[in-house]
Amino acid sequence: MNTEYNIYPLGDSGIVVSFGEVIHPTIHTNIQQFIAILEANRFEGMIEYVPAFTTVTIYYKPHYFFNRIGKAPYEIVKSKVEALLQIPKAEGELTSRIVEIPVCYGDEFGPDLAHVANYHQLTEEEVIKVHSSGDYLVYMIGFAPGFPYLGGMDERLATPRKEKPQASIPKGSVGIAGGQTGIYPLETPGGWQIIGRTPLSLFNPLDHKPVLLQAGDSIRFIPITKAEYVAQKEGDHEC
């Protein structure tokens, strides 16, 4: 792939490929190119791979590689991974799926919208306009099933987490924490500043593809009214 990387073990059944130390679009592109190669060249004994901000972790079955050519399982897997990293990356840009996320901002759906606005000396309408402008890159999925960590939020909206996390954040809540924004796919505890809520379901374990968003997707927040939120939520229940 003609890019810098480091490889190190994770326990006795994982191997980590690190492409850098900072969150950056170029590192994200390198990760996406590598997992495309990995997906096309899965090797026996491999269980799954997990992309993150700067790394890809590959999990494997160590017993599959015991007593093979006199090497430890990690060394065998490492040589396979290094061979994959030498495969030339595909020419052209990676395709990015664009997913529109409808959001009802403020009121009971976004109880912290006023706080974010006051913190930055903006109106609530200005916060909504800034937050829903432009595209956001899904760098990774984590924290909870389907929770997207997004890059691309305007620095004008960067707001510290709450000093005291809430015991329960409603499913679909859209929040801000520091320089990031994200969406809660499940009702969980959390300390993000909640500015809105989406009627879309980001995680459904009964679906063939249970997670709506994937690393590499681009999303756009689309402001909707409370009536539109209710209509879309009811329509989702009827499906």
Side-chain angles (χ1 to χ4, degrees):
M1 289 177 54
N2 297 322
T3 188
E4 295 184 1
Y5 60 86
N6 290 310
I7 298 178
Y8 54 89
L10 182 65
D12 63 354
S13 59
I15 183 169
V16 180
V17 184
S18 173
F19 293 90
E21 301 295 331
V22 297
I23 302 171
H24 192 276
T26 298
I27 290 177
H28 174 77
T29 297
N30 290 336
I31 288 173
Q32 292 301 304
Q33 290 170 334
F34 174 60
I35 64 175
I37 292 172
L38 187 60
E39 183 64 34
N41 298 273
R42 298 177 70 97
F43 54 85
E44 292 187 56
M46 174 178 148
I47 300 174
E48 64 175 344
Y49 58 85
V50 180
F53 280 124
T54 61
T55 64
V56 177
T57 300
I58 302 168
Y59 294 96
Y60 58 90
K61 303 173 183 177
H63 63 271
Y64 183 87
F65 301 99
F66 285 152
N67 301 319
R68 299 197 179 198
I69 62 176
K71 290 185 177 181
Y74 169 74
E75 294 299 330
I76 297 173
V77 174
K78 181 180 178 182
S79 65
K80 291 180 178 293
V81 171
E82 288 177 329
L84 294 178
L85 285 162
Q86 300 309 310
I87 296 176
K89 60 185 179 182
E91 295 296 329
E93 296 184 358
L94 293 170
T95 58
S96 177
R97 185 178 62 144
I98 297 176
V99 182
E100 293 188 345
I101 305 293
V103 178
C104 184
Y105 289 92
D107 296 328
E108 70 267 33
F109 295 143
D112 302 315
L113 177 62
H115 169 75
V116 173
N118 291 333
Y119 185 85
H120 296 287
Q121 297 183 341
L122 299 171
T123 66
E124 294 184 15
E125 290 73 19
E126 287 173 329
V127 171
I128 294 170
K129 182 177 180 180
V130 173
H131 189 263
S132 60
S133 298
D135 295 346
Y136 293 80
L137 176 63
V138 180
Y139 274 93
M140 62 176 284
I141 303 295
F143 165 60
F147 187 101
Y149 284 88
L150 307 175
M153 189 179 74
D154 194 302
E155 293 181 357
R156 288 177 291 171
L157 298 185
T159 310
R161 294 169 179 262
K162 296 178 180 179
E163 293 184 3
K164 183 178 180 180
Q166 292 180 236
S168 179
I169 301 293
K171 172 184 176 181
S173 293
V174 177
I176 291 174
Q180 289 188 302
T181 186
I183 311 167
Y184 283 76
L186 302 170
E187 182 178 335
T188 66
W192 292 42
Q193 306 288 348
I194 305 303
I195 62 172
R197 194 182 305 170
T198 178
L200 295 185
S201 177
L202 272 65
F203 175 69
N204 186 340
L206 300 180
D207 284 351
H208 175 65
K209 292 184 177 181
V211 177
L212 175 64
L213 301 173
Q214 300 291 337
D217 287 346
S218 291
I219 75 169
R220 294 172 183 167
F221 291 115
I222 309 297
I224 59 174
T225 64
K226 186 181 298 186
E228 290 172 322
Y229 175 93
V230 172
Q232 292 188 37
K233 196 70 175 176
E234 291 178 346
D236 180 62
H237 288 163
E238 294 174 357
C239 292

